[in-house]
Amino acid sequence: MKRVNKSSYRAGLLTVLIFVLSILNIVIKDYYFDKKLDTGKLDMREVSMANSDNVHFESEDMVPDIFEKKVMPSGKPIGIYVKTKGVMVIDTGVITGMDGKLYSPCKDILMRGDYVIDINGVNIEDKKSLVEVVDDCKGDPVTIRILRDGSELSYELTPVKNEEGRYKLGLWVKDDISGIGTLTFVDENSFAALGHSINDNDTGIIFNISDGAIYNTNLVNIIKPDGNNPGRLEGVIDYSSQNIIGRVTGNTEFGISGFLVSDIDSNSLGYEWMNIAPKEEVTNGPAYILSSITGKPEYYSVIITNVNYDKASGNKSIELEITDERLISITDGIVQGMSGTPIIQNNRLVGAITHVFLNDSTKGYGIFIEYMLEKND
């Protein structure tokens, strides 16, 4: 039997992999979203003032090199646009039929948070396709396939002809969401941001995404908090291919993640390469956040006031207070759009800002970077 030269075999596999990646990069570079910015409300979670117990426990086993790799904290404000997988049901409504009577074909059948993925065997990719398929049925019953809590279900529904002569199911749906957040870190070819999931504003349910991208953004205004209304970053985004930083592939409770497009130099997105810290080495005391809200990356001083090592604390594992008067003078503390701002302690990336306290915008929560990396790897 002829022996295979292992070095040649590996070299061949590497050549094939590089070729495939090069093709993907060409496709990605030419892809764009032609969408307007909804100055989104996906950016920051507001919470009431609360204290959490400082509970320490042994960390779970992790891949050893997760703490050996270097990443580049960013702090760069970004535009975010994601599309749903199917269309998301926001609510069911009432239709006035041709006879003047009121109908609700989907009431008590479809629920808020359902994803319509197929009607009569036709894939539903957006609101437009749903409207067209339903109207084309001409009043005949349709078989609608949905995704609910990870399970597929099918129902037969009969559209109603409304006063304008169009056939409707009486559904309020959504197929995308956009807004402003903060890029937490990059490595050579991937990124993580936000530190919490992108949720639908109407239902509070996490977005089940099919595609998405992050973009460069130019901040045009910073609205400071007013009473129980959190402040926010406002920006303008050019949703074109040359403005894409990366493609979004994941949306979890610990943030969004994805890969950088081929022509993006990761060194242009952050400040300096550094190691990350295991959560057990994050302590109460002085720290910094890195932010580019002024147009350039700057370190601002904060105090970590409480650390909760219990993984159940999720993206509220770190409590911190903004102490840097420069940042307080600009934002009054933490505002919407700063979710994902990296937290640095002892020259290592330890976490990212995720929430702001409603009654004190200088205080908020953060997530351990360890959790974001687990989802990003």
Side-chain angles (χ1 to χ4, degrees), residues 296-308:
K296 62 180 181 178
E298 301 230 22
Y299 285 111
Y300 298 98
S301 59
V302 301
I303 295 289
I304 295 177
T305 57
N306 192 48
V307 183
N308 190 337

PDB file of all heavy atoms in Angstrom, residues 296-308:
ATOM      1  N   LYS A 296     -12.196  59.443  18.864  1.00  0.00           N
ATOM      2  CA  LYS A 296     -10.923  58.750  19.016  1.00  0.00           C
ATOM      3  C   LYS A 296     -10.985  57.896  20.280  1.00  0.00           C
ATOM      4  O   LYS A 296     -11.713  58.215  21.229  1.00  0.00           O
ATOM      5  CB  LYS A 296      -9.762  59.745  19.105  1.00  0.00           C
ATOM      6  CG  LYS A 296      -9.833  60.685  20.290  1.00  0.00           C
ATOM      7  CD  LYS A 296      -8.644  61.639  20.311  1.00  0.00           C
ATOM      8  CE  LYS A 296      -8.706  62.572  21.530  1.00  0.00           C
ATOM      9  NZ  LYS A 296      -7.541  63.474  21.588  1.00  0.00           N
ATOM     10  N   PRO A 297     -10.240  56.776  20.318  1.00  0.00           N
ATOM     11  CA  PRO A 297     -10.290  55.894  21.495  1.00  0.00           C
ATOM     12  C   PRO A 297      -9.664  56.560  22.720  1.00  0.00           C
ATOM     13  O   PRO A 297      -8.571  57.120  22.641  1.00  0.00           O
ATOM     14  CB  PRO A 297      -9.496  54.668  21.057  1.00  0.00           C
ATOM     15  CG  PRO A 297      -8.613  55.144  19.953  1.00  0.00           C
ATOM     16  CD  PRO A 297      -9.359  56.244  19.271  1.00  0.00           C
ATOM     17  N   GLU A 298     -10.406  56.535  23.837  1.00  0.00           N
ATOM     18  CA  GLU A 298      -9.909  57.103  25.081  1.00  0.00           C
ATOM     19  C   GLU A 298     -10.253  56.190  26.237  1.00  0.00           C
ATOM     20  O   GLU A 298     -11.315  55.562  26.253  1.00  0.00           O
ATOM     21  CB  GLU A 298     -10.543  58.481  25.327  1.00  0.00           C
ATOM     22  CG  GLU A 298     -10.274  59.474  24.232  1.00  0.00           C
ATOM     23  CD  GLU A 298      -9.744  60.805  24.785  1.00  0.00           C
ATOM     24  OE1 GLU A 298      -9.208  60.806  25.901  1.00  0.00           O
ATOM     25  OE2 GLU A 298      -9.889  61.800  24.081  1.00  0.00           O
ATOM     26  N   TYR A 299      -9.353  56.116  27.220  1.00  0.00           N
ATOM     27  CA  TYR A 299      -9.630  55.381  28.446  1.00  0.00           C
ATOM     28  C   TYR A 299     -10.288  56.326  29.453  1.00  0.00           C
ATOM     29  O   TYR A 299      -9.836  57.454  29.654  1.00  0.00           O
ATOM     30  CB  TYR A 299      -8.340  54.824  29.047  1.00  0.00           C
ATOM     31  CG  TYR A 299      -7.797  53.620  28.315  1.00  0.00           C
ATOM     32  CD1 TYR A 299      -6.622  53.696  27.574  1.00  0.00           C
ATOM     33  CD2 TYR A 299      -8.460  52.398  28.366  1.00  0.00           C
ATOM     34  CE1 TYR A 299      -6.117  52.590  26.909  1.00  0.00           C
ATOM     35  CE2 TYR A 299      -7.959  51.285  27.710  1.00  0.00           C
ATOM     36  CZ  TYR A 299      -6.793  51.385  26.980  1.00  0.00           C
ATOM     37  OH  TYR A 299      -6.300  50.277  26.328  1.00  0.00           O
ATOM     38  N   TYR A 300     -11.368  55.839  30.083  1.00  0.00           N
ATOM     39  CA  TYR A 300     -12.058  56.607  31.115  1.00  0.00           C
ATOM     40  C   TYR A 300     -12.100  55.775  32.400  1.00  0.00           C
ATOM     41  O   TYR A 300     -12.371  54.563  32.359  1.00  0.00           O
ATOM     42  CB  TYR A 300     -13.480  56.946  30.672  1.00  0.00           C
ATOM     43  CG  TYR A 300     -13.548  57.806  29.428  1.00  0.00           C
ATOM     44  CD1 TYR A 300     -13.764  57.234  28.176  1.00  0.00           C
ATOM     45  CD2 TYR A 300     -13.395  59.191  29.499  1.00  0.00           C
ATOM     46  CE1 TYR A 300     -13.825  58.013  27.026  1.00  0.00           C
ATOM     47  CE2 TYR A 300     -13.452  59.981  28.357  1.00  0.00           C
ATOM     48  CZ  TYR A 300     -13.662  59.392  27.125  1.00  0.00           C
ATOM     49  OH  TYR A 300     -13.712  60.169  25.993  1.00  0.00           O
ATOM     50  N   SER A 301     -11.865  56.422  33.514  1.00  0.00           N
ATOM     51  CA  SER A 301     -11.777  55.710  34.788  1.00  0.00           C
ATOM     52  C   SER A 301     -13.159  55.320  35.317  1.00  0.00           C
ATOM     53  O   SER A 301     -14.128  56.074  35.204  1.00  0.00           O
ATOM     54  CB  SER A 301     -11.048  56.552  35.832  1.00  0.00           C
ATOM     55  OG  SER A 301     -11.714  57.778  36.047  1.00  0.00           O
ATOM     56  N   VAL A 302     -13.239  54.106  35.883  1.00  0.00           N
ATOM     57  CA  VAL A 302     -14.450  53.600  36.530  1.00  0.00           C
ATOM     58  C   VAL A 302     -14.024  52.854  37.789  1.00  0.00           C
ATOM     59  O   VAL A 302     -12.848  52.576  38.004  1.00  0.00           O
ATOM     60  CB  VAL A 302     -15.246  52.638  35.609  1.00  0.00           C
ATOM     61  CG1 VAL A 302     -15.648  53.329  34.322  1.00  0.00           C
ATOM     62  CG2 VAL A 302     -14.444  51.372  35.316  1.00  0.00           C
ATOM     63  N   ILE A 303     -14.990  52.544  38.625  1.00  0.00           N
ATOM     64  CA  ILE A 303     -14.772  51.703  39.803  1.00  0.00           C
ATOM     65  C   ILE A 303     -15.674  50.489  39.684  1.00  0.00           C
ATOM     66  O   ILE A 303     -16.885  50.635  39.498  1.00  0.00           O
ATOM     67  CB  ILE A 303     -15.079  52.446  41.117  1.00  0.00           C
ATOM     68  CG1 ILE A 303     -14.103  53.598  41.328  1.00  0.00           C
ATOM     69  CG2 ILE A 303     -15.032  51.482  42.297  1.00  0.00           C
ATOM     70  CD1 ILE A 303     -12.698  53.165  41.678  1.00  0.00           C
ATOM     71  N   ILE A 304     -15.089  49.295  39.765  1.00  0.00           N
ATOM     72  CA  ILE A 304     -15.898  48.081  39.850  1.00  0.00           C
ATOM     73  C   ILE A 304     -16.317  47.924  41.303  1.00  0.00           C
ATOM     74  O   ILE A 304     -15.480  47.805  42.196  1.00  0.00           O
ATOM     75  CB  ILE A 304     -15.113  46.844  39.363  1.00  0.00           C
ATOM     76  CG1 ILE A 304     -14.799  46.986  37.867  1.00  0.00           C
ATOM     77  CG2 ILE A 304     -15.903  45.558  39.636  1.00  0.00           C
ATOM     78  CD1 ILE A 304     -13.968  45.858  37.293  1.00  0.00           C
ATOM     79  N   THR A 305     -17.626  47.956  41.548  1.00  0.00           N
ATOM     80  CA  THR A 305     -18.133  47.971  42.924  1.00  0.00           C
ATOM     81  C   THR A 305     -18.621  46.606  43.404  1.00  0.00           C
ATOM     82  O   THR A 305     -18.767  46.399  44.606  1.00  0.00           O
ATOM     83  CB  THR A 305     -19.289  48.982  43.054  1.00  0.00           C
ATOM     84  OG1 THR A 305     -20.320  48.633  42.099  1.00  0.00           O
ATOM     85  CG2 THR A 305     -18.801  50.400  42.765  1.00  0.00           C
ATOM     86  N   ASN A 306     -18.896  45.698  42.473  1.00  0.00           N
ATOM     87  CA  ASN A 306     -19.341  44.362  42.887  1.00  0.00           C
ATOM     88  C   ASN A 306     -19.132  43.387  41.736  1.00  0.00           C
ATOM     89  O   ASN A 306     -19.302  43.739  40.564  1.00  0.00           O
ATOM     90  CB  ASN A 306     -20.813  44.366  43.293  1.00  0.00           C
ATOM     91  CG  ASN A 306     -21.214  43.069  43.986  1.00  0.00           C
ATOM     92  OD1 ASN A 306     -20.524  42.608  44.889  1.00  0.00           O
ATOM     93  ND2 ASN A 306     -22.315  42.491  43.564  1.00  0.00           N
ATOM     94  N   VAL A 307     -18.741  42.165  42.078  1.00  0.00           N
ATOM     95  CA  VAL A 307     -18.523  41.126  41.085  1.00  0.00           C
ATOM     96  C   VAL A 307     -19.287  39.880  41.511  1.00  0.00           C
ATOM     97  O   VAL A 307     -19.158  39.436  42.655  1.00  0.00           O
ATOM     98  CB  VAL A 307     -17.021  40.788  40.930  1.00  0.00           C
ATOM     99  CG1 VAL A 307     -16.827  39.753  39.831  1.00  0.00           C
ATOM    100  CG2 VAL A 307     -16.204  42.042  40.626  1.00  0.00           C
ATOM    101  N   ASN A 308     -20.082  39.348  40.597  1.00  0.00           N
ATOM    102  CA  ASN A 308     -20.866  38.144  40.873  1.00  0.00           C
ATOM    103  C   ASN A 308     -20.374  37.034  39.946  1.00  0.00           C
ATOM    104  O   ASN A 308     -20.599  37.076  38.749  1.00  0.00           O
ATOM    105  CB  ASN A 308     -22.352  38.415  40.643  1.00  0.00           C
ATOM    106  CG  ASN A 308     -23.234  37.287  41.139  1.00  0.00           C
ATOM    107  OD1 ASN A 308     -22.788  36.155  41.262  1.00  0.00           O
ATOM    108  ND2 ASN A 308     -24.490  37.602  41.406  1.00  0.00           N
TER     109      ASN A 308
END
